[in-house]
Amino acid sequence: MGLPRVSILATTEEAAPAKRAEDKVSDTFLQKLKGFSSDDLFEFLATSIGSLVLVILIVTSVVLTRGSLAVFGKFGFGFLTGTDWNTSLGSESYGALPYILGTLVTAGIAISVGILISLGIAIFLSEMAPSFLRSPLSQVIELLAAVPSVIYGFWGLFVFRFWVRDYLETPLSTYLGWIPAFHGTATGYDILTAGLVLSIMIIPTVSSVSKETMMAVPSSQREAAYSIGATRWEVVKLGVLRYGRSGIFGAAILGLGRAVGETMAVTMVIGGTPGPYVLPTSLLKGGVTLSSLIATEFGDATGIHLSALFGLGIVLFLFALVINVFARLMVWRVFKVTGGIVE
Amino acid sequence: MIPLASILFEVVRNGATALSVQFLTGTPALVTLPTGNAALAGGIAVSIEGTLVLMGLTAVIAVPIGLLAGVYLAEFGDNRFGRSIRFLNDVLSEFPSIVIGILVYSILVVGLRVGFSAFAGGVALSIIMLPIVTRTTEESIKLVPRSVRDAAMALGIRKWRATISVVLSTARSGVVTGALLSVARISGESAPLLLTIGTSSYFLSGLNQQVDALPVRIFLLSSENYVSGAQQQGWGAALILIVLVLCLNLAVRIATRGKYGAVRSRI
């Protein structure tokens, strides 16, 4: 049984580079085959395994596109702007707008709260912390990243939700309830809680990348600021933050990417049911995000309903792709600059 | 700091009350209370087993592939194509895990008719783990001094042999650190598992069978919190999961104190 399979594998591995060589220069084909060493095989094997990432990304986009053809065929771009979510057979109607906005609003809360705390942590760790505190503190923050998201969700649902409800939402709805964004009763089972749980979850990512950026800022920047009589805060502001701003910005976008894709914790605390009324008009309302809707309905969806969920998936895929590519480019730029030109 | 402390405190406080021999070794069961209401009893051994099986399966699939991909990036990746692969790899490692769930659902569960199974779950987790292992391997290989490689090449052995026997074995502990930490990370993943492993109340009889996993069980218990006992069981399961993940993390971190910062920052 084992033998024929092995031989098939071996032939495909050797045939493929030969084919590539044929494409390039056909007259040196035989020569190449003769000089084909185990090193070439190793390089080819490593390269093809390395390219697996590319294959995964391409296959993902193909699968999502194929799956969502039906829903885009039926509703066109109305799928992206519609607000209905009717799964009953015969009168089915799907629109993704409330969930796209739900995702953006929760991620927006997460990043605006998360960046402040993360920057505080990063500045403390890279500029101020005494060296005996630095390592244990970063370890603790790394541990925060290791906590599974479902546990954040469970904690959010049974503990954190009540803190948010009692200390944040009740005052907000009592005193600022006239602002549409804080309209509604404080339940703690809503968009605000989801955003805040997310903000905690992205702190490790954002703070560690910003810390790395800040540590990569050459000390000449700080010395220059000190030499013109800057205070400690001014040194951080002018010498470090301004210099590393694109890296910090990249870190924030990276955090945004995490927040957009996060599923479980959000699903557990956001507490809305799909339909036109979960448009995120108030932070104290239950909401639904792209990922939470996929997670809750994928199990029993069929036909065009399933296709609609694939449609949500492709929106999420595109969001994640754009955000992550952008973030990586920002972060890479900083490290390139500090690694070469400036120093 | 406060959230981490609170999470740990609540999980330990509430989870400890759920722990018992029956909880750790039993299968899920519903009992009827004297009041006539149903309550969850029994244990979560099936979920613990499922999580361990998935972790093992994922490691078996993702570590060899990630190792080779890391070798590619470190040894052959210094060109335009290599740089784009490294870039895509970083992008994939931050990808929403639920999208990976949809991918594996379409290709394996439905496409190849594998069905909801431990295998499908393992593949989904592998896709999430792969980019992490790749990068940690690359970083560990880059830590190997040039002289070690040169010495190996000077012996006249082939490059692949030098890479595998000398470079990789020098980088071994960094690679292992990376692999262990990424297994710890994926052991808490639940979104892709929701779409791939199905659910089960019985011990595993084969990799093509549906399984249960701790994170999924915690999620299901949280959505059933109107059933009495569900919340308590959820805390218990959360305690076991967090102990598993944090022990793995702490052990690796203590064993490699002060080393492999570059490797760890990739997780």
Side-chain angles (χ1 to χ4, degrees), chain A:
Chain A
M1 281 298 278
L3 266 177
R5 278 182 64 189
V6 168
S7 68
I8 287 168
L9 269 177
T11 46
T12 47
E13 272 160 13
E14 276 158 6
K19 212 187 267 167
R20 263 188 19 192
E22 197 176 25
D23 288 339
K24 280 182 195 160
V25 205
S26 52
D27 49 324
T28 56
F29 168 63
L30 272 176
Q31 238 176 325
K32 279 209 164 163
L33 200 64
K34 227 180 256 170
F36 192 76
S37 69
S38 52
D39 265 354
D40 295 331
L41 179 67
F42 180 61
E43 179 170 357
F44 172 72
L45 203 70
T47 311
S48 39
I49 296 276
S51 327
L52 208 60
V53 206
L54 187 64
V55 177
I56 291 172
L57 282 174
I58 293 173
V59 172
T60 310
S61 47
V62 170
V63 161
L64 289 173
T65 313
R66 275 191 49 186
S68 56
L69 276 183
V71 78
F72 278 108
K74 190 162 174 199
F75 301 106
F77 282 99
F79 174 67
L80 297 179
T81 53
T83 56
D84 281 345
W85 193 266
N86 189 349
T87 60
S88 48
L89 273 175
S91 55
E92 289 174 304
S93 168
Y94 297 101
L97 191 65
Y99 325 115
I100 296 177
L101 292 179
T103 297
L104 293 179
V105 170
T106 45
I109 298 172
I111 200 64
S112 32
V113 176
I115 187 91
L116 291 177
I117 303 173
S118 307
L119 272 186
I121 294 174
I123 292 175
F124 180 71
L125 281 179
S126 78
E127 309 295 320
M128 295 167 183
S131 51
F132 71 90
L133 258 181
R134 219 168 258 187
S135 165
L137 260 182
S138 1
Q139 298 270 347
V140 168
I141 290 171
E142 281 181 36
L143 279 187
L144 201 55
V147 174
S149 73
V150 71
I151 289 183
Y152 278 104
F154 209 79
W155 171 78
L157 183 59
F158 294 114
V159 180
F160 187 61
R161 174 157 80 93
F162 300 108
W163 300 357
V164 177
R165 188 190 64 188
D166 296 345
Y167 301 116
L168 196 61
E169 293 187 349
T170 311
L172 277 180
S173 74
T174 323
Y175 300 112
L176 296 171
W178 47 273
I179 302 174
F182 302 123
H183 196 72
T185 33
T187 57
Y189 204 49
D190 50 31
I191 295 174
L192 184 61
T193 309
L196 291 176
V197 170
L198 277 178
S199 74
I200 299 171
M201 297 179 70
I202 62 172
I203 285 173
T205 316
V206 181
S207 64
S208 77
V209 178
S210 352
K211 187 191 81 182
E212 271 179 51
T213 315
M214 288 178 193
M215 291 186 133
V217 171
S219 46
S220 56
Q221 284 289 320
R222 297 182 187 97
E223 284 152 14
Y226 275 124
S227 74
I228 53 170
T231 62
R232 211 166 184 191
W233 163 239
E234 283 164 345
V235 170
V236 170
K237 196 174 79 178
L238 300 171
V240 181
L241 289 184
R242 184 164 299 174
Y243 187 86
R245 61 179 179 268
S246 68
I248 293 163
F249 188 61
I253 307 284
L254 214 55
L256 186 69
R258 282 231 161 144
V260 163
E262 176 48 48
T263 309
M264 303 315 288
V266 175
T267 310
M268 287 159 87
V269 297
I270 199 165
T273 40
Y277 36 82
V278 290
L279 268 172
T281 51
S282 158
L283 298 183
L284 305 189
K285 254 171 67 173
V288 175
T289 66
L290 293 168
S291 52
S292 78
L293 188 53
I294 298 174
T296 43
E297 295 202 344
F298 206 87
D300 25 52
T302 49
I304 193 134
H305 184 194
L306 189 62
S307 177
L309 295 177
F310 271 84
L312 300 181
I314 207 163
V315 176
L316 189 60
F317 178 84
L318 290 177
F319 273 174
L321 200 65
V322 170
I323 290 173
N324 276 304
V325 166
F326 190 61
R328 286 288 164 192
L329 287 177
M330 297 299 277
V331 175
W332 274 29
R333 212 179 74 184
V334 177
F335 285 106
K336 225 188 231 169
V337 168
T338 47
I341 305 159
V342 175
E343 272 283 23

Side-chain angles (χ1 to χ4, degrees), chain B residues 29-214:
Chain B
L30 261 181
V31 294
T32 312
L33 292 177
T35 54
N37 294 329
L40 274 173
I44 53 157
V46 172
S47 322
I48 300 177
E49 184 209 29
T51 287
L52 294 177
V53 166
L54 285 169
M55 283 165 77
L57 194 61
T58 307
V60 166
I61 302 174
V63 169
I65 301 181
L67 211 62
L68 250 172
V71 167
Y72 163 71
L73 284 184
E75 301 283 328
F76 310 106
D78 201 14
N79 49 40
R80 187 176 282 266
F81 184 68
R83 275 191 293 274
S84 10
I85 291 292
R86 190 175 295 115
F87 186 78
L88 288 179
N89 200 74
D90 281 358
V91 169
L92 186 68
S93 73
E94 293 289 331
F95 235 61
S97 53
I98 191 131
V99 172
I100 309 290
I102 299 183
L103 170 73
V104 174
Y105 171 84
S106 314
I107 301 247
L108 272 185
V109 177
V110 181
L112 296 174
R113 293 165 200 269
V114 175
F116 293 109
S117 59
F119 178 68
V123 171
L125 293 181
S126 304
I127 296 179
I128 296 167
M129 183 166 154
L130 178 64
I132 313 173
V133 180
T134 305
R135 288 293 264 153
T136 55
T137 305
E138 188 200 356
E139 295 296 337
S140 325
I141 291 180
K142 280 185 176 164
L143 292 176
V144 176
R146 173 108 221 133
S147 53
V148 172
R149 198 178 315 237
D150 288 345
M153 296 301 274
L155 294 174
I157 56 177
R158 289 231 179 251
K159 191 178 180 191
W160 68 267
R161 195 89 172 81
T163 305
I164 290 173
S165 321
V166 180
V167 177
L168 259 186
S169 84
T170 314
R172 190 176 49 212
S173 42
V175 172
V176 172
T177 303
L180 283 177
L181 288 183
S182 29
V183 168
R185 186 182 140 182
I186 55 102
S187 66
E189 276 293 343
S190 32
L193 295 183
L194 278 181
L195 312 189
T196 49
I197 61 169
T199 175
S200 167
S201 307
Y202 304 100
F203 288 104
L204 193 67
S205 52
L207 292 182
N208 56 350
Q209 299 297 313
Q210 302 202 3
V211 279
D212 208 32
L214 281 172

Side-chain angles (χ1 to χ4, degrees), chain B residues 227-255:
Chain B
V227 185
S228 91
Q231 190 183 335
Q232 201 198 16
Q233 287 220 329
W235 283 115
L239 176 62
I240 294 167
L241 182 61
I242 215 166
V243 163
L244 188 76
V245 172
L246 290 189
C247 280
L248 210 51
N249 261 284
L250 282 175
V252 172
R253 275 163 216 279
I254 290 168

